[in-house]
Amino acid sequence: MSWVLGVIGGFVLFAYGIIPTFQPSHFHRIYAAYGGIFIIMAIAWGWIFERIVPDVFDILGAVIAIIGVVVIFYIPRKKEGGEKSIWSRQQ
């Protein structure tokens, strides 16, 4: 029975990662920002519920993650039509 629950859990995790990509928004930015928030929440969970006090490197990593969230999610960008990728060829 436990392998059945493992298969079901694996499918749920797969769906959790794939289904939101069909959103009509800039999902890559939202997902990246979610990742940064997830880091903060994981550290908070450990501190509050498991009584594991974060060390300097936990806090430093969390600060870097939040800075990444701010850069990815809140820095203004040009309109869609005029925006060029940094990876596109210059012509």
Side-chain angles (χ1 to χ4, degrees), residues 51-66:
R51 305 280 189 238
I52 299 171
V53 178
D55 63 12
V56 172
F57 299 107
D58 292 331
I59 301 300
L60 178 63
V63 168
I64 291 170
I66 289 298

Side-chain angles (χ1 to χ4, degrees), residues 4 8 10 22 25 29 37 39 47 55 57 64 73 83 87:
V4 173
I8 292 170
F22 297 114
S25 63
R29 292 182 184 142
I37 299 302
I39 291 169
W47 193 3
D55 63 12
F57 299 107
I64 291 170
F73 205 63
E83 185 177 0
W87 305 112

Side-chain angles (χ1 to χ4, degrees), residues 12-87:
V12 168
L13 285 174
F14 176 77
Y16 176 76
I18 297 299
I19 290 174
T21 63
F22 297 114
Q23 299 297 321
S25 63
H26 295 286
F27 181 74
H28 60 289
R29 292 182 184 142
I30 295 168
Y31 210 54
Y34 170 76
I37 299 302
F38 186 83
I39 291 169
I40 303 301
M41 295 306 296
I43 292 172
W45 181 275
W47 193 3
I48 294 167
F49 295 106
E50 298 177 7
R51 305 280 189 238
I52 299 171
V53 178
D55 63 12
V56 172
F57 299 107
D58 292 331
I59 301 300
L60 178 63
V63 168
I64 291 170
I66 289 298
I67 290 170
V69 167
V70 169
V71 168
I72 291 169
F73 205 63
Y74 292 110
I75 299 295
R77 292 172 170 84
K78 293 180 182 179
K79 297 282 186 197
E80 284 299 313
E83 185 177 0
K84 283 193 172 188
S85 169
I86 62 171
W87 305 112

